[in-house]
PDB file of all heavy atoms in Angstrom:
ATOM      1  N   ASP A   1      98.537 -12.846 190.572  1.00 94.00           N
ATOM      2  CA  ASP A   1      99.941 -13.183 190.339  1.00 94.00           C
ATOM      3  C   ASP A   1     100.518 -12.426 189.146  1.00 94.00           C
ATOM      4  O   ASP A   1     101.633 -12.716 188.718  1.00 94.00           O
ATOM      5  CB  ASP A   1     100.091 -14.691 190.121  1.00 94.00           C
ATOM      6  CG  ASP A   1     100.326 -15.442 191.415  1.00 94.00           C
ATOM      7  OD1 ASP A   1     101.473 -15.450 191.888  1.00 94.00           O
ATOM      8  OD2 ASP A   1      99.365 -15.994 191.969  1.00 94.00           O
ATOM      9  N   GLY A   2      99.752 -11.494 188.605  1.00 94.00           N
ATOM     10  CA  GLY A   2     100.292 -10.635 187.565  1.00 94.00           C
ATOM     11  C   GLY A   2      99.981 -11.025 186.144  1.00 94.00           C
ATOM     12  O   GLY A   2     100.482 -10.394 185.196  1.00 94.00           O
ATOM     13  N   PHE A   3      99.157 -12.057 185.936  1.00 96.00           N
ATOM     14  CA  PHE A   3      98.802 -12.477 184.583  1.00 96.00           C
ATOM     15  C   PHE A   3      97.584 -11.702 184.083  1.00 96.00           C
ATOM     16  O   PHE A   3      96.698 -11.330 184.866  1.00 96.00           O
ATOM     17  CB  PHE A   3      98.472 -13.968 184.545  1.00 96.00           C
ATOM     18  CG  PHE A   3      99.630 -14.866 184.875  1.00 96.00           C
ATOM     19  CD1 PHE A   3      99.768 -15.406 186.148  1.00 96.00           C
ATOM     20  CD2 PHE A   3     100.578 -15.178 183.920  1.00 96.00           C
ATOM     21  CE1 PHE A   3     100.839 -16.235 186.456  1.00 96.00           C
ATOM     22  CE2 PHE A   3     101.649 -16.000 184.218  1.00 96.00           C
ATOM     23  CZ  PHE A   3     101.781 -16.536 185.491  1.00 96.00           C
ATOM     24  N   ALA A   4      97.524 -11.470 182.791  1.00 96.00           N
ATOM     25  CA  ALA A   4      96.315 -10.985 182.142  1.00 96.00           C
ATOM     26  C   ALA A   4      95.543 -12.206 181.665  1.00 96.00           C
ATOM     27  O   ALA A   4      96.118 -13.079 180.998  1.00 96.00           O
ATOM     28  CB  ALA A   4      96.654 -10.075 180.970  1.00 96.00           C
ATOM     29  N   VAL A   5      94.279 -12.313 182.001  1.00 97.00           N
ATOM     30  CA  VAL A   5      93.527 -13.545 181.752  1.00 97.00           C
ATOM     31  C   VAL A   5      92.292 -13.264 180.907  1.00 97.00           C
ATOM     32  O   VAL A   5      91.521 -12.342 181.202  1.00 97.00           O
ATOM     33  CB  VAL A   5      93.089 -14.202 183.078  1.00 97.00           C
ATOM     34  CG1 VAL A   5      92.331 -15.498 182.804  1.00 97.00           C
ATOM     35  CG2 VAL A   5      94.295 -14.473 183.970  1.00 97.00           C
ATOM     36  N   THR A   6      92.120 -14.058 179.855  1.00 97.00           N
ATOM     37  CA  THR A   6      90.872 -14.111 179.111  1.00 97.00           C
ATOM     38  C   THR A   6      90.230 -15.450 179.437  1.00 97.00           C
ATOM     39  O   THR A   6      90.795 -16.501 179.114  1.00 97.00           O
ATOM     40  CB  THR A   6      91.103 -14.000 177.598  1.00 97.00           C
ATOM     41  OG1 THR A   6      91.703 -12.741 177.295  1.00 97.00           O
ATOM     42  CG2 THR A   6      89.783 -14.133 176.835  1.00 97.00           C
ATOM     43  N   ALA A   7      89.080 -15.413 180.109  1.00 98.00           N
ATOM     44  CA  ALA A   7      88.415 -16.643 180.563  1.00 98.00           C
ATOM     45  C   ALA A   7      87.161 -16.882 179.737  1.00 98.00           C
ATOM     46  O   ALA A   7      86.327 -15.980 179.584  1.00 98.00           O
ATOM     47  CB  ALA A   7      88.065 -16.537 182.043  1.00 98.00           C
ATOM     48  N   MET A   8      87.022 -18.100 179.205  1.00 98.00           N
ATOM     49  CA  MET A   8      85.888 -18.459 178.370  1.00 98.00           C
ATOM     50  C   MET A   8      85.223 -19.726 178.902  1.00 98.00           C
ATOM     51  O   MET A   8      85.907 -20.617 179.417  1.00 98.00           O
ATOM     52  CB  MET A   8      86.339 -18.657 176.921  1.00 98.00           C
ATOM     53  CG  MET A   8      86.790 -17.374 176.243  1.00 98.00           C
ATOM     54  SD  MET A   8      85.413 -16.210 176.088  1.00 98.00           S
ATOM     55  CE  MET A   8      86.275 -14.764 175.474  1.00 98.00           C
ATOM     56  N   PRO A   9      83.877 -19.847 178.733  1.00 97.00           N
ATOM     57  CA  PRO A   9      83.147 -20.972 179.319  1.00 97.00           C
ATOM     58  C   PRO A   9      83.026 -22.200 178.431  1.00 97.00           C
ATOM     59  O   PRO A   9      82.528 -23.241 178.878  1.00 97.00           O
ATOM     60  CB  PRO A   9      81.759 -20.368 179.587  1.00 97.00           C
ATOM     61  CG  PRO A   9      81.585 -19.381 178.476  1.00 97.00           C
ATOM     62  CD  PRO A   9      82.954 -18.801 178.226  1.00 97.00           C
ATOM     63  N   ASP A  10      83.437 -22.115 177.175  1.00 97.00           N
ATOM     64  CA  ASP A  10      83.285 -23.265 176.278  1.00 97.00           C
ATOM     65  C   ASP A  10      84.359 -23.229 175.201  1.00 97.00           C
ATOM     66  O   ASP A  10      85.040 -22.213 175.007  1.00 97.00           O
ATOM     67  CB  ASP A  10      81.887 -23.288 175.643  1.00 97.00           C
ATOM     68  CG  ASP A  10      81.608 -22.039 174.828  1.00 97.00           C
ATOM     69  OD1 ASP A  10      82.121 -21.939 173.699  1.00 97.00           O
ATOM     70  OD2 ASP A  10      80.889 -21.154 175.336  1.00 97.00           O
ATOM     71  N   GLY A  11      84.479 -24.345 174.490  1.00 96.00           N
ATOM     72  CA  GLY A  11      85.558 -24.479 173.527  1.00 96.00           C
ATOM     73  C   GLY A  11      85.453 -23.567 172.324  1.00 96.00           C
ATOM     74  O   GLY A  11      86.453 -23.043 171.828  1.00 96.00           O
ATOM     75  N   LEU A  12      84.240 -23.345 171.821  1.00 97.00           N
ATOM     76  CA  LEU A  12      84.075 -22.507 170.635  1.00 97.00           C
ATOM     77  C   LEU A  12      84.428 -21.053 170.924  1.00 97.00           C
ATOM     78  O   LEU A  12      85.124 -20.407 170.133  1.00 97.00           O
ATOM     79  CB  LEU A  12      82.644 -22.630 170.104  1.00 97.00           C
ATOM     80  CG  LEU A  12      82.288 -23.991 169.478  1.00 97.00           C
ATOM     81  CD1 LEU A  12      80.818 -24.030 169.103  1.00 97.00           C
ATOM     82  CD2 LEU A  12      83.162 -24.255 168.249  1.00 97.00           C
ATOM     83  N   SER A  13      83.954 -20.535 172.071  1.00 97.00           N
ATOM     84  CA  SER A  13      84.319 -19.162 172.429  1.00 97.00           C
ATOM     85  C   SER A  13      85.805 -19.080 172.750  1.00 97.00           C
ATOM     86  O   SER A  13      86.447 -18.051 172.505  1.00 97.00           O
ATOM     87  CB  SER A  13      83.481 -18.674 173.612  1.00 97.00           C
ATOM     88  OG  SER A  13      83.739 -19.427 174.784  1.00 97.00           O
ATOM     89  N   GLY A  14      86.366 -20.169 173.287  1.00 97.00           N
ATOM     90  CA  GLY A  14      87.797 -20.210 173.549  1.00 97.00           C
ATOM     91  C   GLY A  14      88.606 -20.126 172.269  1.00 97.00           C
ATOM     92  O   GLY A  14      89.629 -19.425 172.207  1.00 97.00           O
ATOM     93  N   LEU A  15      88.147 -20.823 171.226  1.00 97.00           N
ATOM     94  CA  LEU A  15      88.843 -20.783 169.936  1.00 97.00           C
ATOM     95  C   LEU A  15      88.761 -19.387 169.333  1.00 97.00           C
ATOM     96  O   LEU A  15      89.753 -18.874 168.798  1.00 97.00           O
ATOM     97  CB  LEU A  15      88.247 -21.813 168.986  1.00 97.00           C
ATOM     98  CG  LEU A  15      88.907 -21.920 167.603  1.00 97.00           C
ATOM     99  CD1 LEU A  15      90.376 -22.299 167.720  1.00 97.00           C
ATOM    100  CD2 LEU A  15      88.161 -22.941 166.741  1.00 97.00           C
ATOM    101  N   ASP A  16      87.595 -18.767 169.426  1.00 97.00           N
ATOM    102  CA  ASP A  16      87.444 -17.399 168.919  1.00 97.00           C
ATOM    103  C   ASP A  16      88.379 -16.444 169.654  1.00 97.00           C
ATOM    104  O   ASP A  16      89.009 -15.573 169.043  1.00 97.00           O
ATOM    105  CB  ASP A  16      86.000 -16.936 169.084  1.00 97.00           C
ATOM    106  CG  ASP A  16      85.052 -17.626 168.107  1.00 97.00           C
ATOM    107  OD1 ASP A  16      85.529 -18.162 167.097  1.00 97.00           O
ATOM    108  OD2 ASP A  16      83.830 -17.623 168.374  1.00 97.00           O
ATOM    109  N   ALA A  17      88.456 -16.600 170.996  1.00 97.00           N
ATOM    110  CA  ALA A  17      89.323 -15.726 171.793  1.00 97.00           C
ATOM    111  C   ALA A  17      90.783 -15.952 171.445  1.00 97.00           C
ATOM    112  O   ALA A  17      91.586 -15.005 171.389  1.00 97.00           O
ATOM    113  CB  ALA A  17      89.089 -15.977 173.282  1.00 97.00           C
ATOM    114  N   PHE A  18      91.154 -17.194 171.191  1.00 97.00           N
ATOM    115  CA  PHE A  18      92.530 -17.501 170.808  1.00 97.00           C
ATOM    116  C   PHE A  18      92.893 -16.808 169.503  1.00 97.00           C
ATOM    117  O   PHE A  18      93.979 -16.228 169.377  1.00 97.00           O
ATOM    118  CB  PHE A  18      92.708 -19.008 170.676  1.00 97.00           C
ATOM    119  CG  PHE A  18      94.026 -19.411 170.066  1.00 97.00           C
ATOM    120  CD1 PHE A  18      95.176 -19.429 170.840  1.00 97.00           C
ATOM    121  CD2 PHE A  18      94.113 -19.728 168.722  1.00 97.00           C
ATOM    122  CE1 PHE A  18      96.398 -19.765 170.276  1.00 97.00           C
ATOM    123  CE2 PHE A  18      95.328 -20.070 168.151  1.00 97.00           C
ATOM    124  CZ  PHE A  18      96.472 -20.084 168.932  1.00 97.00           C
ATOM    125  N   ARG A  19      91.983 -16.862 168.542  1.00 96.00           N
ATOM    126  CA  ARG A  19      92.264 -16.277 167.239  1.00 96.00           C
ATOM    127  C   ARG A  19      92.233 -14.751 167.275  1.00 96.00           C
ATOM    128  O   ARG A  19      92.950 -14.091 166.509  1.00 96.00           O
ATOM    129  CB  ARG A  19      91.257 -16.805 166.216  1.00 96.00           C
ATOM    130  CG  ARG A  19      91.503 -18.269 165.866  1.00 96.00           C
ATOM    131  CD  ARG A  19      90.384 -18.840 165.024  1.00 96.00           C
ATOM    132  NE  ARG A  19      90.734 -20.174 164.511  1.00 96.00           N
ATOM    133  CZ  ARG A  19      89.863 -20.981 163.921  1.00 96.00           C
ATOM    134  NH1 ARG A  19      88.589 -20.614 163.789  1.00 96.00           N
ATOM    135  NH2 ARG A  19      90.251 -22.174 163.488  1.00 96.00           N
ATOM    136  N   ALA A  20      91.404 -14.194 168.158  1.00 96.00           N
ATOM    137  CA  ALA A  20      91.285 -12.741 168.246  1.00 96.00           C
ATOM    138  C   ALA A  20      92.527 -12.112 168.859  1.00 96.00           C
ATOM    139  O   ALA A  20      92.976 -11.046 168.435  1.00 96.00           O
ATOM    140  CB  ALA A  20      90.040 -12.367 169.051  1.00 96.00           C
ATOM    141  N   ARG A  21      93.065 -12.770 169.863  1.00 91.00           N
ATOM    142  CA  ARG A  21      94.259 -12.246 170.524  1.00 91.00           C
ATOM    143  C   ARG A  21      95.115 -13.423 170.967  1.00 91.00           C
ATOM    144  O   ARG A  21      94.845 -14.062 171.969  1.00 91.00           O
ATOM    145  CB  ARG A  21      93.879 -11.397 171.744  1.00 91.00           C
ATOM    146  CG  ARG A  21      95.093 -10.822 172.457  1.00 91.00           C
ATOM    147  CD  ARG A  21      94.704 -10.156 173.757  1.00 91.00           C
ATOM    148  NE  ARG A  21      95.897  -9.804 174.532  1.00 91.00           N
ATOM    149  CZ  ARG A  21      95.866  -9.389 175.797  1.00 91.00           C
ATOM    150  NH1 ARG A  21      94.716  -9.285 176.434  1.00 91.00           N
ATOM    151  NH2 ARG A  21      96.981  -9.100 176.429  1.00 91.00           N
ATOM    152  N   ARG A  22      96.156 -13.696 170.192  1.00 92.00           N
ATOM    153  CA  ARG A  22      96.983 -14.862 170.474  1.00 92.00           C
ATOM    154  C   ARG A  22      97.569 -14.764 171.881  1.00 92.00           C
ATOM    155  O   ARG A  22      98.360 -13.851 172.170  1.00 92.00           O
ATOM    156  CB  ARG A  22      98.102 -14.998 169.448  1.00 92.00           C
ATOM    157  CG  ARG A  22      97.604 -15.306 168.032  1.00 92.00           C
ATOM    158  CD  ARG A  22      96.857 -16.619 167.968  1.00 92.00           C
ATOM    159  NE  ARG A  22      96.241 -16.864 166.671  1.00 92.00           N
ATOM    160  CZ  ARG A  22      96.724 -17.686 165.742  1.00 92.00           C
ATOM    161  NH1 ARG A  22      97.850 -18.341 165.976  1.00 92.00           N
ATOM    162  NH2 ARG A  22      96.097 -17.857 164.608  1.00 92.00           N
ATOM    163  N   PRO A  23      97.218 -15.705 172.761  1.00 96.00           N
ATOM    164  CA  PRO A  23      97.742 -15.656 174.132  1.00 96.00           C
ATOM    165  C   PRO A  23      99.174 -16.178 174.198  1.00 96.00           C
ATOM    166  O   PRO A  23      99.687 -16.759 173.236  1.00 96.00           O
ATOM    167  CB  PRO A  23      96.784 -16.587 174.888  1.00 96.00           C
ATOM    168  CG  PRO A  23      96.404 -17.605 173.853  1.00 96.00           C
ATOM    169  CD  PRO A  23      96.307 -16.839 172.559  1.00 96.00           C
ATOM    170  N   ASP A  24      99.796 -15.966 175.350  1.00 95.00           N
ATOM    171  CA  ASP A  24     101.132 -16.518 175.579  1.00 95.00           C
ATOM    172  C   ASP A  24     101.062 -17.973 176.017  1.00 95.00           C
ATOM    173  O   ASP A  24     102.027 -18.726 175.845  1.00 95.00           O
ATOM    174  CB  ASP A  24     101.851 -15.697 176.650  1.00 95.00           C
ATOM    175  CG  ASP A  24     102.060 -14.255 176.215  1.00 95.00           C
ATOM    176  OD1 ASP A  24     102.752 -14.051 175.201  1.00 95.00           O
ATOM    177  OD2 ASP A  24     101.516 -13.345 176.868  1.00 95.00           O
ATOM    178  N   ILE A  25      99.934 -18.366 176.598  1.00 96.00           N
ATOM    179  CA  ILE A  25      99.740 -19.743 177.046  1.00 96.00           C
ATOM    180  C   ILE A  25      98.239 -20.001 177.155  1.00 96.00           C
ATOM    181  O   ILE A  25      97.460 -19.064 177.401  1.00 96.00           O
ATOM    182  CB  ILE A  25     100.429 -19.986 178.407  1.00 96.00           C
ATOM    183  CG1 ILE A  25     100.400 -21.474 178.780  1.00 96.00           C
ATOM    184  CG2 ILE A  25      99.836 -19.114 179.505  1.00 96.00           C
ATOM    185  CD1 ILE A  25     101.317 -21.837 179.945  1.00 96.00           C
ATOM    186  N   ALA A  26      97.831 -21.254 176.944  1.00 97.00           N
ATOM    187  CA  ALA A  26      96.425 -21.624 177.032  1.00 97.00           C
ATOM    188  C   ALA A  26      96.229 -22.701 178.097  1.00 97.00           C
ATOM    189  O   ALA A  26      96.974 -23.684 178.124  1.00 97.00           O
ATOM    190  CB  ALA A  26      95.911 -22.126 175.684  1.00 97.00           C
ATOM    191  N   LEU A  27      95.235 -22.491 178.974  1.00 97.00           N
ATOM    192  CA  LEU A  27      94.823 -23.491 179.956  1.00 97.00           C
ATOM    193  C   LEU A  27      93.462 -24.009 179.521  1.00 97.00           C
ATOM    194  O   LEU A  27      92.491 -23.243 179.463  1.00 97.00           O
ATOM    195  CB  LEU A  27      94.716 -22.876 181.354  1.00 97.00           C
ATOM    196  CG  LEU A  27      95.931 -22.156 181.929  1.00 97.00           C
ATOM    197  CD1 LEU A  27      95.597 -21.631 183.318  1.00 97.00           C
ATOM    198  CD2 LEU A  27      97.130 -23.075 181.981  1.00 97.00           C
ATOM    199  N   LEU A  28      93.373 -25.289 179.232  1.00 97.00           N
ATOM    200  CA  LEU A  28      92.153 -25.844 178.667  1.00 97.00           C
ATOM    201  C   LEU A  28      91.640 -26.987 179.528  1.00 97.00           C
ATOM    202  O   LEU A  28      92.335 -27.980 179.725  1.00 97.00           O
ATOM    203  CB  LEU A  28      92.409 -26.369 177.245  1.00 97.00           C
ATOM    204  CG  LEU A  28      93.138 -25.438 176.269  1.00 97.00           C
ATOM    205  CD1 LEU A  28      93.339 -26.147 174.943  1.00 97.00           C
ATOM    206  CD2 LEU A  28      92.382 -24.134 176.087  1.00 97.00           C
ATOM    207  N   ASP A  29      90.412 -26.840 180.027  1.00 95.00           N
ATOM    208  CA  ASP A  29      89.782 -27.950 180.719  1.00 95.00           C
ATOM    209  C   ASP A  29      89.375 -28.986 179.681  1.00 95.00           C
ATOM    210  O   ASP A  29      88.915 -28.645 178.587  1.00 95.00           O
ATOM    211  CB  ASP A  29      88.560 -27.467 181.495  1.00 95.00           C
ATOM    212  CG  ASP A  29      87.916 -28.587 182.296  1.00 95.00           C
ATOM    213  OD1 ASP A  29      88.649 -29.282 183.025  1.00 95.00           O
ATOM    214  OD2 ASP A  29      86.695 -28.776 182.175  1.00 95.00           O
ATOM    215  N   VAL A  30      89.559 -30.252 180.021  1.00 92.00           N
ATOM    216  CA  VAL A  30      89.244 -31.319 179.073  1.00 92.00           C
ATOM    217  C   VAL A  30      87.762 -31.349 178.735  1.00 92.00           C
ATOM    218  O   VAL A  30      87.372 -31.430 177.572  1.00 92.00           O
ATOM    219  CB  VAL A  30      89.697 -32.685 179.644  1.00 92.00           C
ATOM    220  CG1 VAL A  30      89.146 -33.825 178.789  1.00 92.00           C
ATOM    221  CG2 VAL A  30      91.219 -32.764 179.694  1.00 92.00           C
ATOM    222  N   MET A  31      86.917 -31.263 179.761  1.00 90.00           N
ATOM    223  CA  MET A  31      85.482 -31.427 179.577  1.00 90.00           C
ATOM    224  C   MET A  31      84.779 -30.070 179.548  1.00 90.00           C
ATOM    225  O   MET A  31      84.293 -29.588 180.563  1.00 90.00           O
ATOM    226  CB  MET A  31      84.911 -32.297 180.689  1.00 90.00           C
ATOM    227  CG  MET A  31      85.514 -33.692 180.748  1.00 90.00           C
ATOM    228  SD  MET A  31      85.241 -34.647 179.228  1.00 90.00           S
ATOM    229  CE  MET A  31      83.459 -34.885 179.312  1.00 90.00           C
ATOM    230  N   VAL A  32      84.767 -29.441 178.371  1.00 94.00           N
ATOM    231  CA  VAL A  32      84.015 -28.208 178.187  1.00 94.00           C
ATOM    232  C   VAL A  32      83.044 -28.405 177.028  1.00 94.00           C
ATOM    233  O   VAL A  32      83.296 -29.201 176.121  1.00 94.00           O
ATOM    234  CB  VAL A  32      84.939 -26.996 177.909  1.00 94.00           C
ATOM    235  CG1 VAL A  32      85.743 -26.635 179.137  1.00 94.00           C
ATOM    236  CG2 VAL A  32      85.868 -27.278 176.733  1.00 94.00           C
ATOM    237  N   PRO A  33      81.907 -27.709 177.047  1.00 94.00           N
ATOM    238  CA  PRO A  33      80.892 -27.904 176.008  1.00 94.00           C
ATOM    239  C   PRO A  33      81.266 -27.249 174.688  1.00 94.00           C
ATOM    240  O   PRO A  33      82.176 -26.428 174.614  1.00 94.00           O
ATOM    241  CB  PRO A  33      79.648 -27.243 176.618  1.00 94.00           C
ATOM    242  CG  PRO A  33      80.199 -26.200 177.538  1.00 94.00           C
ATOM    243  CD  PRO A  33      81.465 -26.782 178.104  1.00 94.00           C
ATOM    244  N   GLY A  34      80.537 -27.623 173.642  1.00 92.00           N
ATOM    245  CA  GLY A  34      80.708 -27.027 172.325  1.00 92.00           C
ATOM    246  C   GLY A  34      81.845 -27.651 171.553  1.00 92.00           C
ATOM    247  O   GLY A  34      81.633 -28.319 170.538  1.00 92.00           O
ATOM    248  N   LEU A  35      83.027 -27.447 172.040  1.00 95.00           N
ATOM    249  CA  LEU A  35      84.246 -28.028 171.469  1.00 95.00           C
ATOM    250  C   LEU A  35      85.089 -28.445 172.657  1.00 95.00           C
ATOM    251  O   LEU A  35      85.552 -27.596 173.419  1.00 95.00           O
ATOM    252  CB  LEU A  35      84.985 -26.996 170.611  1.00 95.00           C
ATOM    253  CG  LEU A  35      86.242 -27.443 169.860  1.00 95.00           C
ATOM    254  CD1 LEU A  35      85.875 -28.436 168.759  1.00 95.00           C
ATOM    255  CD2 LEU A  35      86.968 -26.227 169.276  1.00 95.00           C
ATOM    256  N   ASP A  36      85.257 -29.760 172.870  1.00 95.00           N
ATOM    257  CA  ASP A  36      85.950 -30.200 174.083  1.00 95.00           C
ATOM    258  C   ASP A  36      87.415 -29.769 174.072  1.00 95.00           C
ATOM    259  O   ASP A  36      87.964 -29.393 173.035  1.00 95.00           O
ATOM    260  CB  ASP A  36      85.843 -31.723 174.236  1.00 95.00           C
ATOM    261  CG  ASP A  36      86.565 -32.471 173.135  1.00 95.00           C
ATOM    262  OD1 ASP A  36      87.797 -32.605 173.201  1.00 95.00           O
ATOM    263  OD2 ASP A  36      85.888 -32.931 172.186  1.00 95.00           O
ATOM    264  N   GLY A  37      88.018 -29.825 175.257  1.00 95.00           N
ATOM    265  CA  GLY A  37      89.366 -29.313 175.412  1.00 95.00           C
ATOM    266  C   GLY A  37      90.400 -29.995 174.533  1.00 95.00           C
ATOM    267  O   GLY A  37      91.317 -29.345 174.027  1.00 95.00           O
ATOM    268  N   VAL A  38      90.246 -31.297 174.336  1.00 94.00           N
ATOM    269  CA  VAL A  38      91.195 -32.030 173.493  1.00 94.00           C
ATOM    270  C   VAL A  38      91.095 -31.556 172.046  1.00 94.00           C
ATOM    271  O   VAL A  38      92.102 -31.305 171.377  1.00 94.00           O
ATOM    272  CB  VAL A  38      90.956 -33.546 173.591  1.00 94.00           C
ATOM    273  CG1 VAL A  38      91.824 -34.300 172.582  1.00 94.00           C
ATOM    274  CG2 VAL A  38      91.236 -34.046 175.003  1.00 94.00           C
ATOM    275  N   SER A  39      89.857 -31.412 171.551  1.00 96.00           N
ATOM    276  CA  SER A  39      89.659 -30.932 170.174  1.00 96.00           C
ATOM    277  C   SER A  39      90.140 -29.497 170.031  1.00 96.00           C
ATOM    278  O   SER A  39      90.724 -29.131 169.004  1.00 96.00           O
ATOM    279  CB  SER A  39      88.178 -31.043 169.795  1.00 96.00           C
ATOM    280  OG  SER A  39      87.738 -32.385 169.842  1.00 96.00           O
ATOM    281  N   LEU A  40      89.897 -28.684 171.057  1.00 97.00           N
ATOM    282  CA  LEU A  40      90.366 -27.298 171.021  1.00 97.00           C
ATOM    283  C   LEU A  40      91.887 -27.251 170.985  1.00 97.00           C
ATOM    284  O   LEU A  40      92.485 -26.464 170.236  1.00 97.00           O
ATOM    285  CB  LEU A  40      89.838 -26.541 172.234  1.00 97.00           C
ATOM    286  CG  LEU A  40      90.331 -25.095 172.409  1.00 97.00           C
ATOM    287  CD1 LEU A  40      90.058 -24.264 171.165  1.00 97.00           C
ATOM    288  CD2 LEU A  40      89.688 -24.466 173.636  1.00 97.00           C
ATOM    289  N   CYS A  41      92.525 -28.091 171.778  1.00 96.00           N
ATOM    290  CA  CYS A  41      93.991 -28.163 171.768  1.00 96.00           C
ATOM    291  C   CYS A  41      94.492 -28.521 170.377  1.00 96.00           C
ATOM    292  O   CYS A  41      95.450 -27.919 169.879  1.00 96.00           O
ATOM    293  CB  CYS A  41      94.465 -29.187 172.796  1.00 96.00           C
ATOM    294  SG  CYS A  41      96.258 -29.412 172.836  1.00 96.00           S
ATOM    295  N   ARG A  42      93.816 -29.479 169.745  1.00 95.00           N
ATOM    296  CA  ARG A  42      94.237 -29.893 168.411  1.00 95.00           C
ATOM    297  C   ARG A  42      94.085 -28.748 167.408  1.00 95.00           C
ATOM    298  O   ARG A  42      94.958 -28.541 166.553  1.00 95.00           O
ATOM    299  CB  ARG A  42      93.419 -31.111 167.979  1.00 95.00           C
ATOM    300  CG  ARG A  42      93.931 -31.796 166.719  1.00 95.00           C
ATOM    301  CD  ARG A  42      93.169 -33.077 166.445  1.00 95.00           C
ATOM    302  NE  ARG A  42      93.492 -34.097 167.429  1.00 95.00           N
ATOM    303  CZ  ARG A  42      92.645 -34.569 168.333  1.00 95.00           C
ATOM    304  NH1 ARG A  42      91.402 -34.097 168.389  1.00 95.00           N
ATOM    305  NH2 ARG A  42      93.019 -35.513 169.186  1.00 95.00           N
ATOM    306  N   ARG A  43      93.009 -27.981 167.529  1.00 96.00           N
ATOM    307  CA  ARG A  43      92.797 -26.853 166.624  1.00 96.00           C
ATOM    308  C   ARG A  43      93.852 -25.777 166.846  1.00 96.00           C
ATOM    309  O   ARG A  43      94.367 -25.183 165.897  1.00 96.00           O
ATOM    310  CB  ARG A  43      91.392 -26.270 166.848  1.00 96.00           C
ATOM    311  CG  ARG A  43      90.255 -27.240 166.523  1.00 96.00           C
ATOM    312  CD  ARG A  43      89.973 -27.326 165.048  1.00 96.00           C
ATOM    313  NE  ARG A  43      89.277 -26.133 164.585  1.00 96.00           N
ATOM    314  CZ  ARG A  43      87.956 -25.968 164.633  1.00 96.00           C
ATOM    315  NH1 ARG A  43      87.177 -26.920 165.164  1.00 96.00           N
ATOM    316  NH2 ARG A  43      87.395 -24.878 164.151  1.00 96.00           N
ATOM    317  N   ILE A  44      94.166 -25.516 168.096  1.00 96.00           N
ATOM    318  CA  ILE A  44      95.203 -24.533 168.411  1.00 96.00           C
ATOM    319  C   ILE A  44      96.546 -24.983 167.867  1.00 96.00           C
ATOM    320  O   ILE A  44      97.302 -24.194 167.278  1.00 96.00           O
ATOM    321  CB  ILE A  44      95.277 -24.293 169.932  1.00 96.00           C
ATOM    322  CG1 ILE A  44      94.050 -23.511 170.413  1.00 96.00           C
ATOM    323  CG2 ILE A  44      96.561 -23.547 170.309  1.00 96.00           C
ATOM    324  CD1 ILE A  44      93.973 -23.346 171.916  1.00 96.00           C
ATOM    325  N   ARG A  45      96.853 -26.269 168.065  1.00 94.00           N
ATOM    326  CA  ARG A  45      98.150 -26.772 167.615  1.00 94.00           C
ATOM    327  C   ARG A  45      98.268 -26.738 166.098  1.00 94.00           C
ATOM    328  O   ARG A  45      99.375 -26.603 165.560  1.00 94.00           O
ATOM    329  CB  ARG A  45      98.347 -28.196 168.156  1.00 94.00           C
ATOM    330  CG  ARG A  45      99.739 -28.741 167.993  1.00 94.00           C
ATOM    331  CD  ARG A  45     100.811 -27.823 168.572  1.00 94.00           C
ATOM    332  NE  ARG A  45     100.851 -27.815 170.019  1.00 94.00           N
ATOM    333  CZ  ARG A  45     100.859 -26.709 170.743  1.00 94.00           C
ATOM    334  NH1 ARG A  45     100.809 -25.511 170.179  1.00 94.00           N
ATOM    335  NH2 ARG A  45     100.921 -26.767 172.052  1.00 94.00           N
ATOM    336  N   ASP A  46      97.155 -26.832 165.377  1.00 93.00           N
ATOM    337  CA  ASP A  46      97.193 -26.720 163.916  1.00 93.00           C
ATOM    338  C   ASP A  46      97.611 -25.325 163.470  1.00 93.00           C
ATOM    339  O   ASP A  46      98.103 -25.148 162.356  1.00 93.00           O
ATOM    340  CB  ASP A  46      95.812 -27.031 163.318  1.00 93.00           C
ATOM    341  CG  ASP A  46      95.479 -28.514 163.355  1.00 93.00           C
ATOM    342  OD1 ASP A  46      96.413 -29.326 163.513  1.00 93.00           O
ATOM    343  OD2 ASP A  46      94.287 -28.854 163.233  1.00 93.00           O
TER     344      ASP A  46
END
């Protein structure tokens, strides 16, 4: 559909990817290992 996607398997790698290249939008599964989606959302929102 034309999106560029960075896909990560867990919350910690997701946080690193977010900080490395700020995305336009984040899709976060609630139940992911390392750092769950809710905690990751909170870190992103900070």
Side-chain angles (χ1 to χ4, degrees):
D1 270 280
F3 295 99
V5 181
T6 298
M8 292 295 173
D10 60 77
L12 290 175
S13 64
L15 182 60
D16 288 341
F18 170 80
R19 288 171 171 169
R21 180 188 171 190
R22 294 299 173 102
D24 297 299
I25 188 167
L27 305 180
L28 311 178
D29 183 50
V30 170
M31 300 299 292
V32 291
L35 184 68
D36 65 80
V38 173
S39 299
L40 175 55
C41 178
R42 191 174 290 113
R43 297 280 286 274
I44 289 174
R45 191 54 73 230
D46 286 342

